[in-house]
């Protein structure tokens, strides 16, 4: 976020000089019988620079030891101006003000000068990573937006891997392409730059670890685990267990009778939730009605940069995998909130997976396999933009249809880490 007002700090405070010093505007102090006096010029702290057409002002305060009235003059009128005791901040830069006492009543003239730096306002620059790119001749269009409308430009830090002309990126070789987006500042706003690392060809983005394993049935090594049942309800028979080495987590639900779409718990029982590193049980939203699977605004999460896929190993029990409908859903709960039905609602991204084996490694493309799930009443959302702009706070696994074959058991087993790369 950016602020419309930024405080400044002094470069030098109270560069005072007595009248006897050359060039300070004073005089006498000895031969003519006048007394030397000093001007105490307080630094006008707490000022802020404002955006045009508003001009920030503050009152100047200075006193002379001789007791006479003090006047103020701006030495940098293009940066700051003075009217009486009111200092007006016109733009960022160095503001110099002199406080003067003309002398009299036996005192010689004296002055004191303040010099301070008025910094430029810091704004935001939104530059979304376009993600991993194949090494081909297809150009990539870059886009960056200044929060305050400053002109933007792009430059390549790795011309042996990629080049930029205007907003067009050209791929040259395999490797990590580093692009700098720049929003050029002006008299009020500072220049701001943002770098993005874009994998080209065989290069891969850094690995983001969502979890590396499990502590127990309620906690991964990085976060907490939620499920319908660990708060107040469990279907007829549910079970959770962790392997002795902490690498595998198994969640299973068994019905005494075949689950039917008309059953009230049909769509809720075979699912569980994994929360992001740093997220605690206190982050679960107690206002949701059932805390598992909901988290509060501001909860922790992972931020996607150029990562291309969600990777994990998942196994299904034999009966479920062999059934007619053995698909499962993977949903990403992200930190984009909106009010829905009087409650805080977070956006979700959803992928439906057709299993390839009873136990398999999966790599689900973030751009091409995930679609918008819960939009919380918002329109115009884009999957990649949501991943760029918000954190992933939750991953949910669920059965598209609970196992309806012999035994009626629906079982998930996750083994090894869950990562984004």
């Amino acid at each position: 976020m950016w602020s419309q007002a930024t405080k400044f700090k002094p470069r030098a405070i109270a560069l005072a000089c007595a009248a006897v010093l050359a060039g300070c505007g004073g005089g006498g102090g000895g031969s003519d019988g006048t007394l030397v006096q000093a001007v105490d010029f307080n630094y006008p702290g707490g000022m802020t620079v404002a955006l045009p057409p508003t001009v920030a002002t503050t009152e100047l305060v200075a006193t002379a030891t001789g007791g006479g009235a003090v006047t103020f003059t701006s030495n940098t009128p293009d940066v700051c101006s003075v009217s009486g005791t009111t200092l007006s901040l016109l733009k960022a830069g160095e503001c110099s003000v002199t406080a003067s006492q003309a002398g009299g009543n036996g005192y010689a003239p004296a002055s004191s000068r303040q010099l301070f730096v008025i910094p430029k306002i810091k704004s935001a620059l939104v530059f979304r990573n376009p993600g991993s790119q194949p090494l081909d001749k297809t150009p990539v269009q870059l886009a960056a937006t200044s929060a305050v409308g400053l002109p933007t430009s792009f430059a390549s830090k790795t011309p042996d891997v990629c080049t930029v002309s205007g907003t067009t990126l050209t791929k040259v070789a395999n490797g990590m392409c580093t692009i700098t987006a720049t929003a050029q500042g002006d008299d009020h706003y500072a220049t701001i730059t943002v770098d993005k690392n874009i994998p080209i060809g065989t290069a891969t983005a850094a690995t983001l670890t969502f979890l590396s394993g499990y502590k127990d049935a309620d906690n991964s090594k990085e976060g907490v685990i939620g499920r319908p049942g660990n708060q107040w309800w469990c279907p007829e028979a549910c079970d959770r267990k962790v392997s002795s080495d902490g690498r595998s987590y198994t969640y299973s639900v068994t019905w005494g009778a075949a689950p039917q779409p008309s059953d009230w718990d049909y769509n809720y029982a075979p699912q569980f939730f994994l929360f992001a590193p740093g997220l605690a049980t206190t982050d679960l939203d107690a206002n949701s009605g059932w805390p598992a699977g909901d988290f509060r605004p501001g909860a922790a999460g992972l931020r996607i940069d150029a990562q291309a896929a969600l990777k994990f190993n998942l196994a299904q029990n034999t009966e479920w995998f062999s059934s007619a409908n053995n698909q499962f859903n993977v949903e990403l709960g992200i930190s984009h909130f909106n009010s829905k039905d009087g409650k805080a609602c977070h956006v979700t991204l959803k992928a439906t997976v057709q299993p390839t084996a009873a136990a398999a490694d999966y790599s689900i493309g973030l751009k091409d396999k995930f679609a918008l799930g819960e939009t919380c009443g918002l329109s115009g959302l884009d999957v990649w933009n949501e991943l760029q702009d918000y954190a992933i706070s939750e991953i949910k696994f669920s059965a598209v249809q609970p196992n309806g074959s012999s035994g009626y058991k629906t079982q998930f087993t996750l083994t090894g880490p869950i990562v984004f790369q």
Side-chain angles (χ1 to χ4, degrees):
M1 297 296 293
W2 58 275
S3 171
Q4 289 191 338
T6 303
K7 294 183 177 180
F8 67 81
K9 296 181 180 178
R11 172 178 292 179
I13 299 177
L15 300 179
C17 50
V20 295
L21 298 179
C24 290
S31 61
D32 61 357
T34 56
L35 298 174
V36 174
Q37 65 170 328
V39 175
D40 183 11
F41 185 5
N42 297 330
Y43 166 66
M47 291 178 57
T48 57
V49 62
L51 297 178
T54 303
V55 176
T57 62
T58 193
E59 292 302 305
L60 301 173
V61 177
T63 57
T65 55
V70 176
T71 59
F72 301 95
T73 304
S74 172
N75 306 309
T76 53
D78 59 328
V79 176
C80 55
S81 63
V82 177
S83 176
T85 61
T86 301
L87 176 67
S88 297
L89 205 63
L90 305 180
K91 65 179 183 180
E94 289 189 344
C95 175
S96 173
V97 177
T98 298
S100 303
Q101 208 292 313
N105 296 324
Y107 287 92
S111 64
S112 179
R113 181 167 57 95
Q114 286 271 21
L115 177 65
F116 43 86
V117 173
I118 306 165
K120 293 184 177 183
I121 298 170
K122 293 181 179 179
S123 62
L125 177 63
V126 177
F127 178 23
R128 297 185 179 112
N129 197 318
S132 298
Q133 300 293 321
L135 180 58
D136 57 23
K137 294 183 179 181
T138 304
V140 178
Q141 294 303 310
L142 303 173
T145 304
S146 164
V148 294
L150 296 173
T152 59
S153 61
F154 301 94
S156 173
K157 288 187 174 181
T158 53
D160 56 332
V161 177
C162 59
T163 60
V164 175
S165 176
T167 60
T168 302
L169 180 149
T170 300
K171 294 165 279 188
V172 177
N174 291 311
M176 193 63 71
C177 165
T178 302
I179 299 296
T180 299
T182 300
Q184 190 62 48
D186 56 20
D187 286 345
H188 291 84
Y189 290 104
T191 296
I192 185 170
T193 62
V194 175
D195 285 350
K196 291 295 182 181
N197 294 314
I198 305 168
I200 303 295
T202 58
T204 57
T207 300
L208 294 179
T209 300
F210 194 85
L211 63 83
S212 59
Y214 305 91
K215 288 183 179 180
D216 51 48
D218 293 311
N219 300 275
S220 73
K221 291 181 179 178
E222 283 76 22
V224 295
I225 301 171
R227 65 178 179 88
N230 67 351
Q231 308 296 330
W232 59 273
W233 171 80
C234 189
E236 293 182 29
C238 64
D239 181 53
R240 299 176 299 147
K241 62 182 179 180
V242 174
S243 62
S244 58
D245 60 7
R247 294 191 68 247
S248 297
Y249 172 81
T250 300
Y251 177 77
S252 59
V253 177
T254 304
W255 276 268
Q260 300 297 323
S262 59
D263 293 343
W264 71 271
D265 58 355
Y266 177 82
N267 291 317
Y268 293 96
Q271 62 180 356
F272 60 98
F273 312 83
L274 305 169
F275 294 103
L279 193 144
T281 53
T282 53
D283 290 309
L284 301 182
D285 184 5
N287 295 321
S288 65
W290 50 290
D294 216 346
F295 53 90
R296 65 172 177 81
L302 293 184
R303 302 299 295 257
I304 296 296
D305 184 24
Q307 286 72 29
L310 170 65
K311 299 180 179 182
F312 57 89
N313 179 282
L314 185 141
Q316 298 172 297
N317 59 301
T318 302
E319 295 84 2
W320 181 28
F321 177 72
S322 301
S323 65
N325 191 342
N326 57 7
Q327 292 180 316
F328 61 90
N329 296 318
V330 182
E331 294 179 68
L332 306 179
I334 62 176
S335 60
H336 187 183
F337 278 80
N338 191 43
S339 178
K340 181 180 180 181
D341 299 328
K343 297 181 181 180
C345 171
H346 63 82
V347 173
T348 66
L349 309 177
K350 182 177 180 180
T352 299
V353 181
Q354 179 64 56
T356 56
D361 290 321
Y362 294 93
S363 180
I364 307 176
L366 297 176
K367 279 187 173 182
D368 57 342
K369 298 301 182 182
F370 279 91
L372 293 168
E374 173 61 73
T375 63
C376 301
L378 298 168
S379 61
L381 302 183
D382 174 85
V383 169
W384 187 247
N385 289 349
E386 292 297 294
L387 289 169
Q388 288 286 297
D389 297 346
Y390 301 95
I392 299 172
S393 299
E394 170 200 72
I395 299 178
K396 171 185 172 183
F397 290 88
S398 63
V400 171
Q401 178 177 308
N403 174 37
S405 64
S406 176
Y408 308 125
K409 175 183 284 187
T410 308
Q411 183 179 83
F412 299 86
T413 298
L414 290 169
T415 300
I418 295 178
V419 302
F420 293 90
Q421 189 181 34

